[in-house]
Amino acid sequence: MKALGAALIAAIAAVVVTVLLLRPVGAPDVARIESVSRCEWTEYCRAGDCTAQPLPAFTILRNGEFGRTYLGFEGDRGMPQVSVVPSDDGTRQMSLSAGQTADGVEILHVWTLKPDGAFDYRRTEQLISNPAIDTGAGQCGAFEDREAG
């Protein structure tokens, strides 16, 4: 019985050593490539006032950390993750929470990005399908690939 136990331990040790020897040590990780596009406003209406100052230009980052999409306004420190819903016609709807009203109602930014880089924008309350409070449109540049880092 002792011989069988010793043989089992030796077999397990041989498998562990083999796995450790076959694993490449210090092999470089494959670099993740992310895509970035800068977007500018061409029109913006705040509560029906189309002379209102638009939101800042923003950047869309695809294939960011964890393979997710992020969006950041110029001047902001971070890039929050956005929800992205693709459609059959090539458009992508992106939504991002903009906080809450004093009454606790969630406010949402909603962009519809078209295949040619144009976008439509709505700010709405509670549901992305609710009527727009603010509206806008603009153009995003071509997505440029870069090594994540």
Side-chain angles (χ1 to χ4, degrees):
M1 192 64 147
K2 285 184 181 182
L4 184 59
L8 182 60
I9 291 173
I12 291 172
V15 169
V16 169
V17 168
T18 302
V19 168
L20 290 175
L21 289 176
L22 292 177
R23 189 182 81 197
V25 177
D29 292 331
V30 175
R32 179 173 47 84
I33 302 299
E34 55 191 24
S35 298
V36 179
S37 176
R38 186 171 189 281
C39 305
E40 298 276 346
W41 299 92
T42 56
E43 59 184 71
Y44 184 80
C45 300
R46 179 170 285 145
D49 175 9
C50 295
T51 63
Q53 179 72 26
L55 295 171
F58 58 93
T59 301
I60 301 170
L61 174 87
R62 289 183 182 163
N63 196 34
E65 215 171 326
F66 307 109
R68 297 180 178 150
T69 299
Y70 299 84
L71 186 144
F73 290 104
E74 282 188 1
D76 286 354
R77 292 184 55 132
M79 290 185 81
Q81 177 185 340
V82 293
S83 298
V84 180
V85 179
S87 67
D88 293 337
D89 64 1
T91 61
R92 295 177 177 272
Q93 187 174 65
M94 302 181 302
S95 59
L96 172 66
S97 177
Q100 295 183 341
T101 65
D103 300 333
V105 176
E106 185 173 18
I107 300 170
L108 299 164
H109 295 289
V110 182
W111 291 268
T112 302
L113 185 62
K114 300 172 187 172
D116 65 357
F119 69 87
D120 294 322
Y121 168 81
R122 297 180 306 112
R123 187 171 68 99
T124 187
E125 291 181 344
Q126 235 169 3
L127 300 171
I128 61 173
S129 58
N130 279 349
I133 301 166
D134 301 343
T135 59
Q139 184 69 41
C140 296
F143 278 88
E144 297 179 10
D145 291 344
R146 68 181 189 194
E147 191 171 314

